[in-house]
Amino acid sequence: MSQAATSASPDDAPRRVIRLDGIHRTFEVGGEQVHALVDVDEEILAGEHVAIMGPSGSGKSTLLNILGCLDRPTAGTYELEGRSVDELSTRELTLVRRNQIGFVFQFFHLIPRLTATDNVELPMVFAGIPRAERKQRATEAIQAVGLTNRADHQPEQLSGGERQRIALARATIMRPAILLADEPTGNLDSKSSKDILDLLDGMSERGLTLLVVTHDPKVARRADRIIVLVDGRIAKRVSGDRISDVLEILAED
Amino acid sequence: MPASPQKNELGSLRWRDLLQFAGGSLRGHGLRTALSLLGVMIGVSAVVILTALGEGARRYVIEQFAGLGTNLVIVLPGKTETTGTIGIGGVPNDLTLDDALAIERQVRSVRKVAPVTAGTEEVSSGDRRRQMPILGTTRAYIEVRDLRMERGEFLPDEEMFRGGAELVLGNKAARELFGADDPIGTIIRVGDWRFRVIGVLAQQGTNLGINFDDVAIVPVRTGMRMLNRSSLFRVLAQVRAHSDLEIAKRSILDLITERHEEEDITILTQDAVVSTFSQILDTLTLVVGAIAAISLSVAGIGIMNVMLVSVSERTREIGLLKAIGASGPQILAAFLVEATFISAAGGLLGLAVGWSAVALLVQVYPALPASPPVWAVAAAFGLSVAVGTIFGFLPARRATRLDPVTALSRR
Ligand SMILES: Nc1ncnc2c1ncn2[C@@H]1O[C@H](COP(=O)(O)OP(=O)(O)O)[C@@H](O)[C@H]1O
Ligand SMILES: [Mg+2]
């Protein structure tokens, strides 16, 4: 399985896949304005592994939803692969979600009535990929997450860790360039968490751009760098091995 | 790595996959699906059964009239208005045997004429007696009404005025008066009159209100005297060809009007009678079917309800579908297919149930040729499918409009 290539730019510097410029996201709640994101600037390079940390309510999920084109910023520009997302039509946004971005959630969001294989196949179903190719790719992806013997199980017959591995197979089945994970280990025991993190590391090594929202220092430590959000603003940027520098900010949580 | 289409189209969801996806989610909540399916089933089977009954009534009436033969002109005394009551023309002249004879002799397009008188009298043989309809007519009647004999002969072929004492019995009448004995040649009494039985009709059932199984047929002249009639009940005239029907009607009307010096008869043909009845009963069938169809819209509301519940239960799923790149139209299609699936399956079941009920009905009442008209079956099924699609639209659109972030944030 190969991820979208980290093609080198002419001067051999890594390509920029995401650029955020002055992103604001404001919600109206009962006539009051909630500023979930305030003036966020950021650049993410192809193949980077980035952890997003911060106290709860600091805007991590909101940021991820905007990056995943599930939500639009109130102000600011978001450029994905050099294209401004604000200018994309509904139709183009759907195609971006389908082909360029994979999502993993804390609560897995597998469809309960479908088997593991059928869940993994689902994005390909809506992309109109022929049945035979779907079966083959789903089988490979399930094998890659080590669950071949669970392929015909329904989600409720799987453990939390197994569910998240299936969700991971589903998120990457369309070979997206970017994977967004919102607290992927938030609901797992430490053994299952480690399995997931190992899988994510492997994907990252093969060139997938990875953004992981997490509370867990063990998760964040594996990232190339860490972004810390506080009250919707980027409060700190450190490299993954400097995790200790941000722990005091998070301790308030 | 197989070539993967990086830019696939939005309408790329395949029908088979769409159906499978919708079918899977329906199976997920079987009871609810079954109940709303039942609603559609009842609506559709009601349409099928009620229109079948209407159509059965129509066919029954047509069959009754069809027994008249298509080349028949019926002449009735009295000018009947369209309302069916006798008009203000005063007392009409009698329709006499002379009139019947004149029609036979002078109207060229007429092949045969059968004058008919009718009444009821007590018929007795030995100590068995019963009240029975009496028909007075001539030999021509057997051909004009296409009757069949079981044994013996029909009335002799003689001129109308002779007034013999022969009598032909209906099948059931013969059995009741004579049991297993052969009645041919026996003398029986009708009122104060004596007749010799010369024939027994084969079993033929009821036609146009006359039960030919329970009747005694005598020569017309005798019948008129015995029943004390000065006017014929009617005159049946058979034309040579169907194309002569209109000319015959015209000629008969002119002839009798000239003889009576006023227009005081009514002329019916099978075509006219049948088409009037047929129209009335068609309308009846349509109205009954339409009322039954209204129950389908009630079923539609049931489907809408089920789909709304389904959408709200599957909020997270819908959010997920959006996150993995399902387009609005695809999600709309998935939910519409579900609703349509319920209604179409209910419709098919309804057709099956309706048809079975009609088949059973025909078994029990063979006399009623009940059968759902094709238009009603097609309309009922088409409507049921449409009901699902129309009433499924609102819930489906609600699904496409869900905000994926809110939908996914639900635990
Ligand atoms: N749909 C929404 N409507 C109103 N307020 C919201 C909505 N989504 C998020 N918020 C608010 O925005 C802030 C950031 O939320 P979120 O991004 O979920 O934080 P985190 O993921 O870091 O815990 C919170 O104050 C939250 O209440
Ligand atoms: Mg969050």
Side-chain angles (χ1 to χ4, degrees), chain A residues 25-29 34-37 53-65 71 182-183 213 215 229 232, chain B residues 403 405-406 409:
Chain A
R25 181 64 172 102
T26 310
F27 294 102
E28 282 265 338
V29 181
V34 177
H35 299 279
L37 291 176
M53 300 189 81
S56 88
S58 58
K60 306 182 293 294
S61 295
T62 303
L63 179 60
L64 219 58
N65 289 333
D71 194 11
D182 196 347
E183 314 219 16
V213 166
H215 274 111
L229 282 176
Chain B
D403 168 36
V405 174
T406 322
S409 67

Side-chain angles (χ1 to χ4, degrees), chain A residues 91 97 126 128 131 134, chain B residues 9-10 14 17 322 330:
Chain A
R91 188 177 169 282
R97 291 199 292 257
F126 284 91
R131 191 165 281 253
R134 277 188 344 232
Chain B
E9 279 308 306
L10 282 181
R14 283 144 204 267
D17 295 322
K322 292 192 168 181
Q330 286 178 331

Side-chain angles (χ1 to χ4, degrees), chain B residues 61-74 111 141-147 207-208 212 236-242 245 268-274:
Chain B
V61 168
I62 288 174
E63 273 173 27
Q64 293 290 301
F65 283 96
L68 282 175
T70 49
N71 293 350
L72 208 60
V73 177
I74 307 164
R111 200 168 71 87
Y141 194 74
I142 189 171
E143 256 183 79
V144 169
R145 295 305 308 269
D146 195 23
L147 302 178
N207 192 296
L208 257 188
F212 284 111
L236 306 181
Q238 193 178 48
V239 298
R240 290 178 198 283
H242 191 70
L245 216 55
L268 298 177
T269 57
Q270 180 203 298
D271 295 17
V273 174
V274 166

Side-chain angles (χ1 to χ4, degrees), chain B residues 5 17 107 132 163 206 226 233 240 276 299 304 328 363 392 398:
Chain B
D17 295 322
V107 179
M132 198 182 289
T206 303
M226 181 174 73
F233 173 54
R240 290 178 198 283
T276 305
M304 179 155 76
Q363 286 270 309
R398 178 171 292 188

